[in-house]
Amino acid sequence: MNLADVRAAARGLDGIAHRPPVMTSRTLGAGVFLKCESFQRTGAFKFRGAYNFLSSLGEEERARGVCAISSGNHAQAVALSARELGIRAAILMPEDAPPAKLAAVDGYGAEIETYDRYSMPQVQAGREFAERRQMTFVPAYDDPRIAAGAGTAALELLEDAGELDLLLAPVGGGGLMAGCATVIKALHPSARVIGVEASGVVKRSLEAGERIQIPVPRHIADGQMLTQPGEWTFEVMRELVDDVVLCTDDEILAAMAFLFDRLKLVTEPSGAIATAALLAGHVRPEGARVGVLVSGGNVGLERFLDLMRR
């Protein structure tokens, strides 16, 4: 995957995906620009990659229908993309997925099955689901087409905000990070790219020089509950990502509250985590021009209120 692939994905998404705004805050600093993917279709950046992937499928692959495994954002993205393209979809979701995300997937017309994420690794559960259904599997992150679609968010950010010295983005399986890092490093090679996570699995893997696996993490960022980085995305991150920092649940909650109070943005925990790294001082811009990806806002009212009461 390269910049040309991301530009091609952008052309395919033109007029289909939203172009969310870039916002600023005096408190964060004049040189900080937030790309608000919480305003994307399905409420998260995931629509970009899912639509790019599904639109690339041949007739036979489409005829089989598509399936995916996800706690919510990828599930919604696949379900809506399939509906838009007239493809049948089935999604395997964790039993404890946020109710708002389950309801959204159902509303987009996909069939839902659930599983216990703590008794079976996600990769294994997804593989078995696809084999049983005999449908075309749509990976959540570990595919160049998914990453190219996700990278269009960084492309728009640069077009709207101008040159950046630093990009902060959530990192889980690595699709968003692989796509965005490809764009940033191609257009501004001296810029730094820093991932932000809650579990530490990506940071530890990069430090070890190989993918490590951990038990299912228990933190509030349900969009980042991965046990291992993607195989293909890990190699991209090894080459292009400068650092990964960690945020605690309390720091994430503080960022969610800040984004709500100051910018009137409703964000889910994983969507606010890059902002959390900035607010908590894990990254110090010191006059640099910084892009921050607010990756999603899929949190129902009840869960948002429950989190804010912690």
Side-chain angles (χ1 to χ4, degrees), residues 16-303:
I16 296 170
H18 294 327
R19 189 182 181 105
V22 174
M23 300 181 71
T24 59
S25 165
R26 284 180 177 270
T27 304
L28 292 175
V32 177
F33 304 91
L34 286 79
K35 178 64 169 173
C36 302
E37 285 296 299
S38 49
F39 292 122
Q40 186 52 262
R41 295 186 71 178
T42 73
F45 76 94
K46 288 284 191 178
F47 178 76
R48 298 175 181 270
Y51 191 90
N52 191 51
F53 184 97
L54 265 65
S55 62
S56 76
L57 297 179
E59 290 185 12
E60 183 180 341
E61 292 172 309
R62 294 187 183 208
R64 288 202 301 268
V66 296
C67 66
I69 180 170
S70 166
S71 66
N73 286 344
H74 180 59
Q76 292 176 72
V78 172
L80 178 58
S81 297
R83 191 182 75 180
E84 292 284 293
L85 294 165
I87 303 172
R88 183 168 54 94
I91 312 293
L92 184 64
M93 301 183 69
E95 293 172 343
D96 61 347
K101 294 183 178 183
L102 284 162
V105 174
D106 180 64
Y108 291 134
E111 181 184 350
I112 298 173
E113 284 191 26
T114 59
Y115 79 107
D116 179 6
R117 75 165 102 207
Y118 301 103
S119 65
M120 180 182 296
Q122 184 184 55
V123 173
Q124 179 185 345
R127 186 184 303 116
E128 292 181 2
F129 183 60
E131 290 175 356
R132 176 163 49 84
R133 286 302 192 108
Q134 292 295 295
M135 302 172 91
T136 302
F137 185 70
V138 186
Y141 47 85
D142 207 15
D143 186 280
R145 290 166 290 182
I146 296 291
T152 60
L155 200 61
E156 292 176 6
L157 174 59
L158 290 176
E159 290 170 353
D160 293 345
E163 184 174 351
L164 299 175
D165 303 304
L166 170 66
L167 178 73
L168 286 172
V171 59
L176 176 65
M177 180 55 73
C180 291
T182 295
V183 170
I184 297 295
K185 294 294 187 177
L187 294 175
H188 305 292
S190 63
R192 299 183 71 220
V193 177
I194 298 179
V196 190
E197 62 173 333
S199 67
V201 65
V202 176
K203 183 177 181 65
R204 290 168 56 190
S205 294
L206 291 174
E207 290 173 348
E210 62 181 6
R211 295 188 304 149
I212 66 168
Q213 187 158 4
I214 63 172
V216 176
R218 294 181 182 272
H219 51 64
I220 63 171
D222 64 276
Q224 292 186 318
M225 295 184 76
L226 280 299
T227 60
Q228 189 177 46
E231 183 176 1
W232 175 81
T233 55
F234 179 68
E235 295 305 322
V236 179
M237 290 190 288
R238 285 182 67 182
E239 180 182 355
L240 300 180
V241 174
D242 295 287
D243 196 9
V244 176
V245 299
L246 308 182
C247 285
T248 66
D249 282 356
D250 286 344
E251 290 166 346
I252 295 170
L253 291 171
M256 290 176 66
F258 172 87
L259 290 169
F260 181 82
D261 285 339
R262 300 299 181 88
L263 283 86
K264 311 312 172 191
L265 292 177
V266 176
T267 54
E268 61 190 289
S270 55
I273 197 169
T275 308
L278 205 57
L279 288 171
H282 298 312
V283 178
R284 299 186 182 279
E286 298 177 352
R289 290 175 58 83
V290 182
V292 180
L293 281 175
V294 179
S295 59
N298 286 319
V299 57
L301 176 61
E302 289 187 10
R303 184 163 190 252

